[in-house]
């Protein structure tokens, strides 16, 4: 059915009324919330009405002609725009309206109204059993409105968590620069057709995707020892994440010990946790996977997430960031979910991990003590490496500790299972025997005992004691877990044998009995029979060498400057050129002037042609140094930094690049720079050889080029 057929007979020309649903709680918003609570007692009735068509991302037209506001969300206005990383406008208001159009229909269930907003009923919507408002927020098509959800704490938590995860994964409007809807309604910013000022991409909080104001307040609560840890946990619950009070106490002890307060890089202090909503069952399942993967579930799962295997996650298909950044983002989200399992469902998670860990030696068919020790050591080393957070050296130390522990636990666990197996089998036999006996009584006759014996997997003794106990019989003992399996006896002479076992004379004779002379391939000759044959072999070996052209190794591209102009660029763009393309830097404190940097084009360096047309290096309207350092790290000019560089590190790298000493390039340009340098070296060597010789340079085509080639023929 087409979209027009699904929404028949409705005029969409009417635009929604302004509705200031704020995303943050201010005095004005509190007064509006109180007024809305008062009006909720006389909320407009919507019984018997159906949704006809969405008006924008949070408002729909009803069959009566009135509008309905979706409870708890605030979507961009229909004409509102955002800007992508390239500075191009994105119609986020229309995208939000289209998203709502895709999840509601005339069959959508309208919940009990909770109030009214400018004459519109405010109510939750449910479609196919799913909360429409939560889905809009989770896909990044709307923001949560926590002020209006205060009466329903669980829904408030779910909506705020959905917004946090959408922002963390860069979904919908969170993949653009946009003005908050309530700010847009009050004072809309202009939407330029192209980028006219330098815009630096400001990524959200590095830890949990919180709103910036929530993050700052959360940090203040962590750093204030007078605030009880339980109050910090309550704040977290109201803002869409979970905090373990024990982590808060540990963080404050660390702050008191080191004197370093928690900042935006506070992942070493308190890690916000994510509730996946599947309870103890989900925690046990993830624990099982973590046990099988030696505590590497978050890393392995991040690979699947990065490749687009999980809906609602950042992946290579919906993000233009570097692969390592996407994987790291997903790994941290997985670790946050596992951390919540450990906090809320520790027994379920631990039980799953134990079962998963015990499956490893059985999957490897380990039975003897040595086999159990080897498998346990490998598993312990992997667990120590993957389960340790930190640098490679810290993980290696964790692996070294895990190897002996894994070996000991592998042997102990295997032997414990071996000793417990008979008792488990006996208990299972009794249970199955009683079940079979009950079934036999229903069927009647003398088959009760045989059915029970068959179900329990036991043998019936030949005779029974007078007291009813069975007498022991000689039987084949059950194989031990630590006992080598007995190899079967081969009864036939012509059986397979190892490939490295030498053949007997009789076997060789049998194999060569039917070989004919014509079956043998003649051996190639290695003899040169004449001088003419030798000359023919060397024909074309030496040829005039071609002087390499280093510029042929460079790529040609058209780049867009900060003002929107297009410039032809040959070769890679270093850090200075990248800054010029984005409108330059503000000379804060005279740092750039003190280092001798100005807007004049650099001379005497490779790849600096057309640089003056890129834009200014120093500009009053340029970016701040801190923002530029963050953006340069995100762009990839600091691949050796796991965290964003400091302002001093950024300035040092900029000065080195400006002076031409250790210039900063993107990692994908390293190969091109190396090819260019090698080509220059080869050209200089060829010109030197031509100058020293007779004006000709030869190359030997019979061997790979090396230090001795090209050279004159003998």
């Amino acid at each position: 059915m087409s979209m027009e057929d699904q929404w028949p007979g409705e005029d969409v020309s009417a635009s929604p009324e302004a509705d200031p649903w704020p995303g943050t709680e201010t005095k004005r918003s509190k007064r509006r919330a109180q007024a809305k609570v008062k009006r909720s007692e006389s909320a407009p009735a919507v019984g018997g009405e159906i949704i006809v068509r969405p008006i924008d991302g949070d408002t729909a037209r009803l069959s009566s002609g009135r509008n309905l506001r979706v409870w708890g969300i605030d979507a961009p206005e229909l004409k509102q725009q955002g800007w992508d990383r390239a500075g191009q406008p994105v119609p986020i208001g229309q995208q939000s309206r289209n998203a709502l159009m895709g999840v509601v229909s005339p069959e959508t269930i309208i919940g009990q109204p909770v109030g009214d907003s400018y004459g519109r009923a405010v109510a939750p919507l449910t479609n196919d059993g799913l909360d429409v408002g939560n889905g809009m927020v989770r896909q990044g098509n709307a923001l949560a409105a926590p002020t209006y959800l205060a009466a329903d704490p669980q829904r408030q938590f779910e909506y705020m968590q959905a917004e946090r995860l959408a922002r963390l994964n860069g979904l919908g409007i969170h993949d653009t620069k946009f003005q908050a809807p309530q700010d847009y309604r009050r004072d809309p910013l202009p939407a330029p057709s192209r980028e006219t000022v330098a815009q630096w991409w400001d990524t959200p909080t590095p830890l949990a995707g919180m709103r910036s104001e929530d993050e700052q307040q959360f940090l203040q609560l962590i750093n204030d020892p007078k605030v009880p840890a339980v109050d910090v946990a309550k704040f977290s619950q109201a803002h869409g994440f979970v905090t373990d009070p024990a982590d808060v106490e540990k963080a404050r002890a660390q702050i008191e010990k080191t004197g370093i307060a928690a900042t935006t890089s506070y992942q070493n202090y308190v890690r916000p946790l994510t509730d996946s909503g599947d309870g103890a069952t989900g925690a046990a399942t993830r624990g099982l996977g973590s046990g099988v993967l030696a505590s590497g579930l978050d890393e392995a799962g991040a690979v699947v997430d990065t490749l687009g295997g999980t809906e609602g996650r950042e992946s290579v298909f919906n993000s233009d960031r570097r692969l390592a950044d996407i994987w790291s983002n997903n790994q941290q989200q997985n670790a946050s979910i596992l951390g919540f399992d450990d906090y809320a469902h520790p027994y379920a998670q631990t039980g799953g991990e134990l079962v998963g860990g015990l499956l490893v030696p059985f999957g490897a068919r380990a039975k003897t003590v040595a086999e159990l020790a080897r498998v346990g050591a490998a598993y312990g080393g992997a667990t120590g490496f993957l389960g340790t957070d930190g640098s490679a050296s810290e993980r290696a130390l964790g692996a070294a500790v895990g190897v002996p522990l894994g070996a000991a636990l592998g042997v102990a666990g295997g032997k414990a299972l071996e000793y417990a197996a008979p008792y488990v089998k006996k208990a299972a036999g009794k249970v199955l025997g009683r079940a079979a006996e009950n079934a036999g009584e229903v069927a009647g006759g003398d088959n009760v005992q045989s059915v029970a014996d068959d179900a329990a997997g036991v043998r019936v003794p030949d005779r029974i004691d007078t007291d009813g106990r069975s007498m022991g019989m000689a039987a084949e003992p059950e194989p031990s877990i630590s006992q080598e399996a007995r190899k079967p006896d081969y009864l036939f002479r012509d059986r397979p044998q190892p490939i490295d076992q030498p053949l007997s004379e009789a076997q060789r004779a049998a194999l060569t009995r039917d070989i004919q002379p014509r079956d043998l391939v003649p051996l190639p000759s290695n003899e040169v029979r004449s001088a003419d044959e030798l000359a023919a072999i060397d024909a074309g070996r030496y040829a005039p060498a071609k002087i390499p052209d280093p510029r042929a190794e460079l790529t040609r591209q058209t780049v867009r400057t900060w003002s929107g102009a297009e410039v032809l660029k040959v070769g890679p763009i270093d850090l200075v050129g990248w800054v010029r393309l984005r409108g330059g830097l503000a000379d804060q404190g005279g740092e750039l002037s003190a280092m001798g940097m100005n807007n004049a084009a650099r001379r005497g360096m490779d790849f600096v042609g057309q640089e003056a047309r890129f834009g200014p290096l120093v500009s009053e309207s340029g970016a701040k140094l801190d923002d530029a350092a963050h953006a340069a790290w995100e762009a990839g000019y600091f691949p050796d930094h796991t965290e964003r560089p400091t302002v001093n590190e950024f300035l040092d790298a900029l000065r080195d690049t400006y002076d031409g000493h250790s210039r900063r390039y993107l990692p994908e340009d390293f190969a091109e720079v190396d090819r260019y340098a090698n080509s220059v070296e080869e050209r200089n060597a060829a010109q030197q050889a031509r100058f020293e010789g007779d004006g000709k340079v030869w190359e030997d085509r019979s061997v790979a080029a090396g230090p001795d080639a090209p050279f004159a023929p003998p």
Side-chain angles (χ1 to χ4, degrees):
M1 182 174 61
S2 66
M3 189 63 68
E4 288 75 9
D5 294 332
Q6 185 180 3
W7 307 101
E10 174 61 22
D11 179 13
V12 296
S13 60
S15 60
E17 302 174 8
D19 181 17
W21 275 43
T24 57
E25 187 172 344
T26 63
K27 293 181 178 179
R28 185 180 181 185
S29 65
K30 287 182 178 179
R31 290 195 299 267
R32 285 176 175 162
Q34 293 169 357
K36 188 169 292 294
V37 170
K38 293 179 180 179
R39 290 196 299 269
S40 65
E41 298 177 357
S42 58
V46 293
E49 296 202 43
I50 62 173
I51 294 178
V52 176
R53 183 184 297 274
I55 298 299
D56 58 15
D58 54 25
T59 307
R61 181 65 56 82
L62 299 177
S63 55
S64 64
R66 296 183 303 167
N67 289 342
L68 172 75
R69 182 65 182 261
V70 183
W71 183 33
I73 68 174
D74 190 15
E77 295 301 318
L78 191 59
K79 296 182 180 180
Q80 186 173 349
Q81 290 183 328
W83 293 269
D84 60 15
R85 290 175 181 264
Q88 298 300 318
V90 179
I92 59 175
Q94 296 179 17
Q95 292 179 355
S96 179
R97 191 269 308 274
N98 295 341
L100 182 61
M101 187 178 296
V103 295
V104 298
S105 67
E107 288 75 29
T108 298
I109 299 175
I110 304 175
Q112 179 65 32
V114 298
D116 70 279
S117 173
Y118 296 89
R120 298 171 298 177
V122 179
L125 301 181
T126 305
N127 195 55
D128 292 335
L130 300 178
D131 187 337
V132 172
N134 187 295
M136 289 288 291
V137 175
R138 182 62 180 86
Q139 294 302 320
N141 294 307
L143 299 178
T147 303
Y148 297 92
L149 293 170
D152 190 344
Q154 181 60 31
R155 186 186 294 264
Q156 182 186 45
F157 168 78
E158 293 173 355
Y159 278 42
M160 290 298 290
Q161 177 171 265
E163 179 187 315
R164 181 175 62 84
L165 296 178
R167 181 180 295 107
L168 189 58
N169 290 283
L171 303 179
I173 60 177
H174 302 293
D175 194 34
T176 67
K177 279 180 172 293
F178 68 96
Q179 193 178 10
Q182 70 273 14
D183 295 335
Y184 178 85
R185 288 188 288 265
R186 182 169 54 252
D187 183 19
L189 292 176
S193 58
R194 64 184 182 185
E195 189 175 2
T196 58
V197 295
Q199 294 188 21
W200 300 90
W201 196 260
D202 183 19
T203 56
T205 169
L207 185 60
M210 288 185 255
R211 297 179 178 181
S212 58
E213 62 271 16
D214 294 346
E215 180 189 67
Q216 295 302 320
Q217 190 172 356
F218 181 65
L219 290 174
Q220 293 175 4
L221 295 177
I222 294 295
N223 291 319
D224 187 356
K226 298 180 181 179
V227 178
V230 293
D231 291 346
V232 179
K234 292 179 181 178
F235 173 86
S236 304
Q237 184 74 18
H239 291 81
F241 59 98
V242 178
T243 299
D244 186 352
D247 290 343
V248 177
E249 299 295 348
K250 293 179 182 178
R252 288 174 174 172
Q254 182 73 6
I255 294 172
E256 183 179 1
K257 178 180 178 181
T258 61
I260 302 176
T263 62
T264 52
S265 299
Y266 52 82
Q267 55 264 36
N268 293 329
Y269 287 99
V270 178
R271 179 177 63 188
L273 308 178
T274 300
D275 182 5
S276 59
D278 49 10
T281 302
T285 304
R286 285 184 289 273
L288 178 66
S290 182
V292 172
L293 295 175
S295 299
L297 180 62
D298 51 344
E299 287 91 347
V303 175
V304 178
D305 302 332
T306 302
L307 297 179
T310 305
E311 184 180 2
R313 284 292 188 91
E314 183 183 19
S315 71
V316 295
F317 300 106
N318 61 15
S319 175
D320 58 358
R321 296 204 303 162
R322 294 180 301 172
L323 181 66
D325 294 333
I326 300 174
W327 178 90
S328 177
N329 182 21
N330 285 304
Q331 185 272 331
Q332 292 180 12
Q333 293 184 67
N334 293 338
S336 177
I337 294 174
L338 295 177
F340 178 82
D341 292 343
D342 182 58
Y343 165 66
H345 310 288
Y347 297 110
Q349 184 191 51
T350 303
E353 289 178 343
L354 290 176
V355 174
L358 292 175
L359 290 177
V360 174
F362 287 102
R365 299 182 180 277
K367 295 182 179 180
T368 66
V369 172
E371 290 173 343
L372 289 170
R374 284 196 298 269
V375 174
Y379 182 81
T383 302
F385 184 84
L386 296 174
T388 301
D389 294 331
S391 62
S393 59
E394 293 172 333
R395 286 177 176 260
L397 179 60
V401 174
V403 167
L405 291 177
L409 292 176
V411 175
K415 286 300 181 182
L417 286 177
E418 178 183 346
Y419 295 139
Y423 299 99
V424 175
K425 182 178 180 180
K426 182 177 180 181
K430 289 182 178 180
V431 173
L432 294 176
R434 283 196 297 268
E437 182 178 355
N438 294 335
E441 290 177 356
V442 174
D446 299 329
N447 296 326
V448 175
Q449 185 61 39
S450 62
V451 172
D453 293 336
D454 292 341
V458 299
R459 299 177 59 187
V460 180
D462 293 341
R463 54 195 178 88
I464 300 178
D465 249 346
T466 54
D467 59 355
R469 294 175 299 173
S470 61
M471 298 180 62
M473 298 180 60
E476 186 75 15
E478 292 291 334
S480 169
I481 293 180
S482 60
Q483 176 183 347
E484 290 284 359
R486 178 181 176 182
K487 297 181 179 179
D489 297 328
Y490 288 98
L491 304 179
F492 302 97
R493 184 175 180 180
D494 297 333
R495 62 180 183 269
Q497 62 186 27
I499 193 172
D500 58 347
Q501 179 176 333
L503 299 176
S504 64
E505 291 297 330
Q507 290 173 324
R508 292 179 181 177
L511 292 174
T512 59
R513 184 181 302 117
D514 298 330
I515 295 179
Q516 301 297 325
R518 62 178 178 273
D519 297 331
L520 301 178
V521 179
L523 296 176
S525 173
N526 294 325
E527 296 180 1
V528 179
R529 295 181 176 82
S530 65
D532 294 338
E533 183 179 353
L534 178 61
I537 293 176
D538 260 353
R541 173 178 176 180
Y542 301 104
K546 181 180 180 181
I547 305 300
D549 180 11
R551 288 182 63 84
E553 303 294 338
L554 301 179
T555 58
R556 287 162 173 77
Q557 58 180 323
T558 300
V559 298
R560 176 183 291 176
T561 68
W562 67 281
S563 62
E566 295 184 348
V567 179
L568 178 64
K569 179 68 176 72
V570 179
I573 300 174
D574 62 9
L575 181 59
V576 172
W578 178 84
V579 171
R580 284 178 175 269
L581 285 174
R582 283 153 179 78
L585 302 173
D587 193 7
Q588 296 176 260
E591 292 281 356
L592 302 180
S593 302
M595 293 189 294
M597 297 185 188
N598 53 49
N599 292 328
R602 293 174 290 173
R603 305 291 182 184
M605 298 185 194
D606 297 323
F607 324 132
V608 296
Q610 304 291 333
E611 184 175 270
R613 298 178 60 189
F614 283 6
L617 177 60
V618 182
S619 172
E620 294 181 357
S621 61
K624 296 181 180 178
L625 297 178
D626 184 67
D627 293 337
H630 191 127
W633 172 69
E634 187 180 53
Y637 282 95
F638 291 86
D640 52 338
H641 285 59
T642 57
E643 296 181 355
R644 54 156 293 169
T646 63
V647 171
N648 289 335
E649 291 173 336
F650 172 73
L651 288 175
D652 290 341
L654 189 67
R655 178 177 56 189
D656 291 342
T657 304
Y658 185 84
D659 295 339
H661 299 310
S662 299
R663 298 171 69 183
R664 289 269 179 174
Y665 297 97
L666 293 176
E668 54 263 31
D669 294 333
F670 290 167
E672 181 179 352
V673 174
D674 291 340
R675 290 197 306 269
Y676 178 82
N678 293 336
S679 182
V680 170
E681 185 178 353
E682 291 179 7
R683 182 181 181 87
N684 294 338
Q687 292 176 342
Q688 181 68 23
R690 175 181 291 178
F691 174 77
E692 295 175 351
D694 57 357
K696 295 182 179 180
V697 181
W698 302 82
E699 63 175 338
D700 185 355
R701 295 180 175 179
S702 64
V703 296
D708 299 329
F711 56 88

